[in-house]
Amino acid sequence: GENVEQHPSTLSVQEGDSAVIKCTYSDSASNYFPWYKQELGKRPQLIIDIRSNVGEKKDQRIAVTLNKTAKHFSLHITETQPEDSAVYFCAETNSGGYQKVTFGTGTKLQVIP
Amino acid sequence: KAGVTQTPRYLIKTRGQQVTLSCSPISGHRSVSWYQQTPGQGLQFLFEYFSETQRNKGNFPGRFSGRQFSNSRSEMNVSTLELGDSALYLCASSLEDRATETQYFGPGTRLLVL
C-alpha cells in the first residue's frame, strides 16, 4: 500500500468524551492495520491492531473497526483521559507479504481535563 | 527482554558529511526496519532488513543505505548530508519479516544537519 489518509489532523475532546480517528487506504491487498500512539518525545508504541479477516477489535477503552469494502478503518477511544493525549498514527502493511509499513500523517489528540 | 536500542541518541553534523546510525533489535527479532520522522512528512519508511538481506525499500535517494549483521543488528548510513535530512530516525524490529508482524520501535536518533 502506498497511500494512507488520516483525519482529523488535530482533535480536542473533553475528558470523558469519545474520540474517533479515521483512515483510508488505497491498496486492496492491504491486510494488517496497526495503530500507534506517540507521546511527546517518546517512541511510537502499538496500542491495537486488526487483521483483514476481522471487522472489529476491542481492548478496554480502545476499539478499531475495519471496512475492507470501503477501504477505511477507524480508532475509537471511549471515556478519554488526559493521559490519552498524544499523536496517533494509523498504518497499513502489504508488500508482497514483507514488512513495509505505510503510516498515516498522524492525529494530535488533546484531552482537556 | 530489553527493548530496541539505538545509538547515538543525538547527533549534529554539517552539510556534506556522512553519518552512521545503529540499531539493536529485541533479542530474537530478525527483521529491522528504518523510518524517518519529520514534522512535515510524518513517518516515512526507509528500508527493511531480514537475515542480512534488504527486503523492501522506500522512496529515498541512494544517499540512504543500510545493512544488517548476522546478529540482526542494523546500521543505516546517510552520505552527503543535506539540511533536509534533519529528522528523527527510528528503527523498529519484529520477530519475522511478514507484513503482519508487530513492530517495536526504538527511541530514535535525532539528527540535526547544519
Side-chain angles (χ1 to χ4, degrees), chain B:
Chain B
K1 275 184 182 178
V4 180
T5 58
Q6 292 185 245
T7 56
R9 294 293 311 279
Y10 303 93
L11 207 47
I12 300 176
K13 292 285 188 180
T14 57
R15 278 181 300 175
Q17 288 186 309
Q18 74 164 16
V19 66
T20 299
L21 312 181
S22 180
C23 173
S24 292
I26 291 172
S27 177
H29 284 194
R30 298 195 293 163
S31 170
V32 175
S33 298
W34 288 89
Y35 298 89
Q36 182 194 65
Q37 186 173 28
T38 58
Q41 298 295 321
L43 274 158
Q44 291 194 297
F45 174 81
L46 280 155
F47 28 65
E48 186 260 346
Y49 286 87
F50 179 80
S51 292
E52 302 177 66
T53 301
Q54 187 181 90
R55 294 286 198 187
N56 273 306
K57 192 177 192 304
N59 298 323
F60 279 81
R63 300 185 297 108
F64 292 82
S65 63
R67 59 178 175 168
Q68 187 180 35
F69 302 94
S70 58
N71 62 357
S72 295
R73 189 177 70 85
S74 177
E75 289 181 346
M76 69 163 279
N77 184 77
V78 188
S79 62
T80 321
L81 283 166
E82 300 177 358
L83 296 179
D85 296 333
S86 295
L88 179 67
Y89 290 89
L90 292 158
C91 77
S93 75
S94 61
L95 199 59
E96 299 289 336
D97 63 343
R98 290 188 301 272
T100 54
E101 286 283 336
T102 298
Q103 291 193 315
Y104 298 86
F105 281 86
T109 294
R110 189 164 295 279
L111 172 66
L112 177 62
V113 181
L114 301 176

